[in-house]
């Protein structure tokens, strides 16, 4: 639905595909920067006849779906070494947008093996590291520099680009990136359809543990 076969032998065909691709704001409308995007609003996706309307709209707010969606977005980022990432933007989260980003050192030097809390201080040689959150003596140094993913939400992609100065190889790589992005949007749509076809939403009551204050005789 989003993915298109492009003849990558021709410069003009590829530039036309890039120039005509749907775009959307990377942040908000006043920021004015846009990037390659796709509209994945439900009315844009063909609803299978055997899925009723309620389920079609309600599935959006189900945790299982949101987890599936973030897995798909994360896989895309990992595939592109986080230099390119896909994110959700727009009112009612109806757009998938291509973002620039990368990975950098997080600055964390140690972490707690008990609760996972990260710490900017190194545990000095021969000393026991105490966790600042759970007080366990299980804070250890990271063996490798701890990295974190960052995104540039305000940066546009090819907004004013006419590709004149680009080599054929460079244009081809850009087309392949955008095609992979389109393929991701197809995967998102088909996963959603799949979930709606094979699952129904049922309600379950859960008990949430809560801390209360009680009186005790002294
Ligand atoms: Zn801890």
């Amino acid at each position: 639905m989003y993915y298109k076969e492009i003849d990558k032998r021709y410069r003009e065909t590829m530039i036309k595909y890039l120039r005509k691709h749907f775009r959307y704001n990377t942040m908000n409308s006043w920021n004015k920067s846009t990037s390659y995007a796709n509209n994945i609003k439900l009315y844009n996706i063909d609803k299978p006849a055997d899925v009723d309307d309620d389920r079609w709209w309600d599935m959006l707010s189900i945790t299982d779906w949101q987890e599936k969606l973030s897995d798909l977005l994360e896989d895309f980022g990992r595939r592109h070494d986080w230099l390119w990432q896909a994110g959700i933007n727009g009112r009612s989260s109806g757009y998938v947008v291509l973002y620039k980003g990368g990975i950098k050192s997080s600055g964390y030097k140690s972490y707690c093996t008990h609760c996972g809390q990260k710490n900017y201080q190194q545990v000095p040689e021969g000393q026991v590291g105490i966790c600042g959150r759970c007080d366990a003596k299980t804070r250890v140094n990271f063996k490798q520099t701890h990295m974190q993913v960052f995104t540039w939400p305000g940066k546009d992609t090819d907004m004013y680009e006419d590709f004149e100065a680009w080599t054929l190889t460079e244009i081809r790589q850009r087309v392949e990136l955008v095609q992979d992005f389109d393929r991701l949007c197809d995967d998102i749509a088909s996963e959603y359809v799949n979930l709606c076809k094979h699952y129904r939403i049922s309600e379950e009551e859960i008990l949430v543990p809560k801390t209360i204050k009680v009186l005790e005789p002294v």
Side-chain angles (χ1 to χ4, degrees):
M1 191 170 61
Y2 298 102
Y3 174 80
K4 268 191 213 79
E5 215 47 77
I6 301 297
D7 194 336
K8 283 179 277 219
R9 285 173 301 174
Y10 306 110
R11 200 182 168 90
E12 288 68 34
T13 318
M14 293 192 289
I15 292 177
K16 198 174 152 199
Y17 163 71
L18 294 172
R19 301 281 302 157
K20 290 209 157 162
H21 198 283
F22 180 79
R23 303 181 66 85
Y24 194 74
N25 304 320
T26 56
M27 283 177 86
N28 36 42
S29 51
W30 50 260
N31 174 270
K32 297 257 189 287
S33 88
T34 67
S35 179
Y36 300 100
N38 280 309
N39 179 337
I40 53 151
K41 287 189 180 177
L42 287 185
Y43 56 71
N44 242 21
I45 303 170
D46 286 328
K47 180 173 81 71
D50 55 342
V51 173
D52 61 70
D53 276 355
D54 284 350
R55 198 189 301 174
W56 187 242
W57 293 100
D58 289 349
M59 197 63 85
L60 268 190
S61 56
I62 298 292
T63 316
D64 298 72
W65 161 246
Q66 282 157 1
E67 280 169 5
K68 183 74 221 173
L69 176 63
S70 48
D71 284 351
L72 287 168
L73 298 175
E74 215 179 296
D75 287 347
F76 179 87
R78 197 167 290 121
R79 251 194 332 266
H80 296 280
D81 299 323
W82 306 106
L83 295 171
W84 295 101
Q85 297 163 29
I88 303 291
N89 195 20
R91 196 175 291 181
S92 71
S93 307
Y95 301 89
V96 186
V97 182
L98 183 66
Y99 287 100
K100 287 176 178 168
I103 44 173
K104 60 176 181 191
S105 158
S106 68
Y108 288 121
K109 297 288 192 284
S110 59
Y111 69 103
C112 172
T113 55
H114 180 65
C115 75
Q117 173 88 340
K118 294 188 277 293
N119 196 298
Y120 289 112
Q121 303 301 319
Q122 202 143 14
V123 180
E125 238 353 281
Q127 285 189 30
V128 174
I130 297 169
C131 174
R133 184 209 262 165
C134 73
D135 289 333
K137 292 176 180 145
T138 49
R139 188 162 62 85
V140 296
N141 291 328
F142 280 111
K143 288 198 177 66
Q144 287 163 343
T145 311
H146 185 258
M147 305 298 277
Q148 79 184 16
V149 174
F150 67 91
T151 312
W152 274 310
K155 282 210 176 173
D156 73 87
T157 307
D158 302 342
M159 212 171 156
Y160 304 106
E161 190 57 67
D162 59 10
F163 304 100
E164 287 303 311
W166 292 41
T167 65
L168 198 62
T169 310
E170 285 168 334
I171 299 177
R172 205 170 277 147
Q173 281 169 350
R174 181 53 49 91
V175 167
E176 278 161 5
L177 167 72
V178 180
Q179 278 184 310
D180 192 39
F181 174 80
D182 286 346
R183 217 177 277 124
L184 163 76
C185 296
D186 282 334
D187 290 346
I188 291 173
S190 63
E191 280 293 343
Y192 194 78
V193 168
N194 187 52
L195 214 59
C196 291
K197 274 177 86 94
H198 297 105
Y199 296 90
R200 61 192 184 86
I201 300 163
S202 80
E203 284 185 4
E204 218 172 78
E205 269 184 35
I206 56 164
L207 292 173
V208 180
K210 176 174 159 188
T211 306
I212 55 168
K213 289 199 165 74
V214 293
L215 293 177
E216 267 186 2
V218 285

